[in-house]
Amino acid sequence: LAVSLLVSACASEQNLVRQWNKVSGDLTTGKKHFKSLAAINTFVNGFKYKSDIENYGVNDYWAKPKEFFAKKSGDCEDYVIAKYALALEAGLATSKNAKLELVFDKRRQLNHMILIVKGSVLDNQNAKIITVAQAKKRYRFYGEVRDIISQLK
């Protein structure tokens, strides 16, 4: 599942494709939905955090999933976009049950982005998936970013 996104991004990076195949073998849209989202969260969180200045030489750049996987790094919105793309391709997310959410991280005192799929929050700052209720303790929610994936393909 979702391997076509990785293959097209990293044709020369067979190790990355093998890692994804190992993770994605258990993905399902059924009863193990939460476990499948956790697998995506863990896989993408394994990539290195790099600011847009470090990666692209600009203050703010929203990387296409292919760019994120090719560079093997990104900042918070790049993680979210990559997770969303994988969840969409795997059939775990739809435009109706998932959203990219802008938040303010109260602990770190900065703006951040998270992915919410069916009430589960995927975040590069959390190894485990948390609920929206748990996220509201840490983040102040600004609002949803709409239609970004269609612009980033």
Side-chain angles (χ1 to χ4, degrees):
L1 292 175
V3 77
S4 65
L5 178 65
L6 292 173
V7 170
S8 63
C10 311
S12 64
E13 187 56 62
Q14 293 304 312
N15 187 41
L16 181 63
V17 173
R18 277 193 295 279
Q19 287 175 320
W20 174 249
N21 284 336
K22 187 176 179 182
V23 169
S24 68
D26 294 329
L27 294 185
T28 176
T29 57
K31 293 180 182 179
K32 296 180 184 176
H33 183 83
F34 182 85
K35 187 176 179 182
S36 297
L37 289 174
I40 288 173
N41 195 56
T42 299
F43 177 74
V44 176
N45 283 357
F47 290 85
K48 185 176 180 178
Y49 180 92
K50 274 192 180 178
S51 70
D52 289 332
I53 289 286
E54 292 175 280
N55 258 347
Y56 301 102
V58 295
N59 286 328
D60 194 32
Y61 182 83
W62 290 33
K64 296 175 183 179
K66 290 179 182 181
E67 294 170 310
F68 175 83
F69 291 120
K71 287 196 173 275
K72 300 180 192 160
S73 62
D75 64 1
C76 64
E77 72 271 2
D78 302 331
Y79 282 86
V80 167
I81 291 166
K83 290 174 187 183
Y84 184 47
L86 289 174
L88 282 171
E89 193 168 327
L92 298 167
T94 68
S95 61
K96 295 185 190 302
N97 74 6
K99 59 183 176 176
L100 291 71
E101 188 81 28
L102 289 172
V103 296
F104 180 77
D105 186 331
K106 297 174 196 175
R107 289 184 199 160
R108 297 183 306 140
Q109 294 293 300
L110 50 82
N111 293 326
H112 186 52
M113 187 177 285
I114 58 176
L115 173 63
I116 302 172
V117 180
K118 290 187 177 180
S120 298
V121 176
L122 289 74
D123 183 1
N124 71 307
Q125 294 297 310
N126 290 308
K128 295 185 178 183
I129 291 179
I130 60 174
T131 65
V132 171
Q134 291 170 314
K136 286 185 177 180
K137 292 176 184 173
R138 178 171 177 171
Y139 303 118
R140 183 173 60 233
F141 283 61
Y142 288 137
E144 179 181 356
V145 177
R146 297 182 184 265
D147 300 325
I148 193 69
I149 290 296
S150 63
Q151 298 171 26
L152 293 173
K153 289 185 178 174

